[in-house]
Amino acid sequence: ECSVSSKSIVQDACASYATLEKLNGNVKPNLDHLVRTSDFFSHYRLNLFNKACPFWDDGNGVCGNIACAVETLDNEEDIPPVWRAHELGKLEGPLAKHPGKTEQRAHPDRPLHGKLGDEVGESCVVEYDDECDDRDYCVVEDESATSKGDYVSLLRNPERFTGYGGEGAKQVWDAIYRENCFQKSSFPHSANLGSPLWPAGPAVQDFKQVLQSAGRQAQLQAERLRQPNVPFVASTGYEAEDECLEKRVFYRVVSGMHASISAHLCWDFLNQTTGEWQPNLSCYLSRLHGFSDRISNLYFNYALVTRAVAKLGPFMRGPQYTFCTGDRSEDEATRAKVLEVTNMAAAVPNIFDESLMFVNGEGPSLKEDFRARFRNISRLMDCVGCDKCRLWGKIQTNGYGTALKVLFEIDNNSGEVPVLKRTELVALFNTYARLSESLRAIGEFRKMVKGRAAVE
Ligand code: FAD
């Protein structure tokens, strides 16, 4: 079977499902170990409750189920010591001046924070600022002491079935897919919703109107793209329909993320009769099985994120990046695990060739639009009415956004690289771990389907 990607994106014609599954068999134990055992990768600070949906009144879509709730770390003792308020408080002094963008420019070969750790009296949690860099694909989650963020233990808040659904969820997914409708007359938000603060100003107003009155054409396009068996091979008639590679990639990322979320909630489903968490085969059958395009898009995302993780490897090798535990040996252990994962990811050649994007035809002019649309998807996460879904929605959009940033903004030739924040790195590896879990879950579901067929 060979349907992960378009010929032109995956160099060796296709990375087969089997190749990716084999990789996943190797990488998953290391990845799981990394995100489950290190403080660095298992804690995420984000603004989960204080941002209103910028696009519509989300009062109707709120999920009251207990499974939707997120347990935040309100107790200082539960927060890794280096990130406690006391440590953050120290940052108010003169030493607190974390290396700004100038520092980064002085070390253009370092996409990660260059000089953090005890040598410079810095805390690892401070980010440069909460402004979106021009090259960000996501609205930045600010970890600084002054922002109203909450620490969340990702281990204590696993992504799973919550019961969130109905009109609220549908509205969010519809709006997400509408972002895919690149149109000749650029959407108003694509140029000017770049601010991370997205005040309810004119641009948001415009976007609301776009959402309300999205044209028939946009709707048709979204529906057409959702049809099973829609070919995504670069050389199909799609070009004739003005679907360039970049637009197809955008759609695949979104649909693959949706498929991955469906896989998680079907795998970790609450049996309301027994009260047990267990896989739900009919959930899988109704959302994923037989939807070859959705499965293909999920594998596509796996390939894309694998490539991004592999590309980051060389930047994480040296001691220039500390993993913020405040403990040198723990930092080293975390680095070693990270490198195991990045090396494995790099061992599969030609998995995804990002250099083919944004180069031909209207490609170069699409990049900014692509980025802006992805940022809007990350803003839409504040419209998700279930705290747990919003938490993981934010992590995963940030993870994909980071992968896109690594793929398209780190130019190996020029040596100019964007800064990566701690939240981005944590989101990237957790998203990879989630995709890895999706592949495993789908493999198990397939076995169940086969087993059932054998009995019948
Ligand atoms: P939905 O999944 O809501 O899909 C809506 C429509 O989109 C479908 O009818 C179909 O036409 C189309 N579609 C479905 N999948 C794809 C795909 N892969 N590609 C293209 N088109 C597709 N629920 C939980 O229980 N736990 C969670 O952690 C969770 N996280 C969420 C995160 C976000 C950001 C959002 C928006 C929702 C989340 N939900 C979560 C809700 C969940 O995704 C579904 O919306 C809900 O279960 C209702 O499902 P549904 O069957 O109505 O179809």
Side-chain angles (χ1 to χ4, degrees):
E1 200 171 359
C2 173
S3 51
V4 170
S5 187
S6 74
K7 217 169 186 166
S8 57
I9 270 276
V10 179
Q11 272 179 349
D12 64 351
C14 79
S16 68
Y17 285 7
T19 307
L20 297 176
E21 282 161 6
K22 188 164 169 237
L23 167 66
N24 197 41
N26 296 331
V27 95
K28 192 169 189 303
N30 294 288
L31 195 47
D32 285 347
H33 188 263
L34 182 69
V35 298
R36 285 182 193 158
T37 61
S38 69
D39 278 348
F40 185 91
F41 285 104
S42 62
H43 290 79
Y44 197 69
R45 187 174 185 177
L46 79 170
N47 204 329
L48 194 58
F49 307 110
N50 299 315
K51 287 184 179 175
C53 170
F55 303 125
W56 60 77
D57 176 2
D58 57 347
N60 302 330
V62 177
C63 168
N65 297 344
I66 185 75
C68 285
V70 168
E71 176 196 340
T72 53
L73 297 177
D74 302 327
N75 193 342
E76 278 272 307
E77 277 93 75
D78 296 332
I79 300 172
V82 74
W83 300 326
R84 290 177 193 168
H86 165 72
E87 285 296 317
L88 293 171
K90 285 188 198 160
L91 296 165
E92 299 302 319
L95 271 181
K97 290 275 166 270
H98 48 87
K101 286 178 177 157
T102 352
E103 167 72 17
Q104 176 63 24
R105 285 199 191 101
H107 300 280
D109 55 329
R110 297 177 187 168
L112 309 168
H113 282 174
K115 276 172 82 181
L116 290 177
D118 22 15
E119 299 94 347
V120 284
E122 302 269 358
S123 160
C124 289
V125 284
V126 173
E127 304 292 10
Y128 290 103
D129 47 44
D130 63 353
E131 278 171 31
C132 262
D133 188 288
D134 288 351
R135 292 172 294 184
D136 284 341
Y137 286 71
C138 270
V139 179
V140 169
E141 286 296 343
D142 176 24
E143 286 199 310
S144 74
T146 47
S147 79
K148 292 200 192 79
D150 289 292
Y151 273 109
V152 175
S153 156
L154 301 181
L155 303 179
R156 277 160 55 174
N157 295 281
E159 186 196 16
R160 58 189 181 184
F161 174 74
T162 60
Y164 175 55
E167 273 312 301
K170 188 174 180 310
Q171 191 176 14
V172 178
W173 282 122
D174 281 353
I176 288 174
Y177 283 107
R178 231 170 270 138
E179 277 301 315
N180 184 61
C181 300
F182 291 76
Q183 282 169 337
K184 281 260 154 40
S185 52
S186 211
F187 272 36
H189 62 282
S190 61
N192 55 11
L193 272 192
S195 156
L197 302 171
W198 38 265
V204 170
Q205 231 23 71
D206 287 348
F207 181 53
K208 270 187 187 164
Q209 283 161 15
V210 170
L211 281 179
Q212 280 157 9
S213 63
R216 176 92 185 114
Q217 202 191 340
Q219 213 136 24
L220 282 175
Q221 186 189 19
E223 265 154 34
R224 183 168 50 77
L225 285 166
R226 281 184 194 176
Q227 298 305 312
N229 306 321
V230 164
F232 282 102
V233 179
S235 56
T236 64
Y238 248 155
E239 252 94 77
E241 292 182 59
D242 199 20
E243 285 298 336
C244 65
L245 181 68
E246 291 76 10
K247 293 173 189 176
R248 276 175 285 135
V249 166
F250 190 96
Y251 174 77
R252 297 197 75 167
V253 171
V254 172
S255 167
M257 174 175 88
H258 193 169
S260 187
I261 289 174
S262 300
H264 305 146
L265 74 92
C266 293
W267 184 255
D268 219 345
F269 200 92
L270 180 66
N271 179 331
Q272 291 173 14
T273 317
T274 64
E276 279 177 43
W277 291 93
Q278 55 190 211
N280 181 330
L281 185 60
S282 47
C283 173
Y284 162 75
L285 291 172
S286 66
R287 293 170 196 241
L288 295 165
H289 195 73
F291 292 94
S292 57
D293 63 322
R294 297 181 189 175
I295 302 282
S296 165
N297 295 337
L298 169 59
Y299 277 72
F300 177 88
N301 279 5
Y302 188 89
L304 180 141
V305 173
T306 299
R307 169 69 190 133
V309 165
K311 194 169 173 177
L312 260 190
F315 298 106
M316 318 209 64
R317 226 153 256 152
Q320 72 265 34
Y321 190 68
T322 46
F323 285 94
C324 311
T325 59
D327 175 325
R328 220 173 265 275
S329 63
E330 204 182 321
D331 260 14
E332 281 317 307
T334 306
R335 183 195 319 286
K337 275 281 157 219
V338 167
L339 290 179
E340 264 176 288
V341 171
T342 59
N343 289 343
M344 283 178 176
V348 182
N350 305 330
I351 205 165
F352 184 97
D353 186 358
E354 70 276 13
S355 70
L356 295 160
M357 279 183 71
F358 304 118
V359 283
N360 296 321
E362 60 174 328
S365 63
L366 274 177
K367 196 165 179 184
E368 203 185 313
D369 205 13
F370 190 101
R371 216 188 281 120
R373 282 165 197 286
F374 207 85
R375 276 191 202 164
N376 270 343
I377 290 181
S378 88
R379 290 184 181 105
L380 275 164
M381 291 304 117
D382 283 310
C383 305
V384 174
C386 144
D387 296 346
K388 181 85 71 68
C389 312
R390 188 160 64 250
L391 166 66
W392 283 100
K394 280 182 173 228
I395 293 173
Q396 288 168 92
T397 42
N398 193 0
Y400 291 117
T402 304
L404 296 172
K405 184 169 164 180
V406 169
L407 292 179
F408 303 125
E409 310 299 330
I410 295 186
D411 177 350
N412 292 337
N413 302 321
S414 79
E416 217 207 298
V417 289
V419 171
L420 282 193
K421 299 172 180 68
R422 192 189 87 86
T423 44
E424 292 179 308
L425 207 56
V426 175
L428 177 68
F429 280 84
N430 273 281
T431 301
Y432 196 26
R434 293 280 70 209
L435 279 166
S436 165
E437 176 63 10
S438 298
L439 254 62
R440 190 192 67 86
I442 282 174
E444 294 300 316
F445 275 131
R446 281 195 196 117
K447 282 187 212 156
M448 287 184 204
V449 173
K450 266 194 192 152
R452 209 175 60 166
V455 172
E456 279 164 5

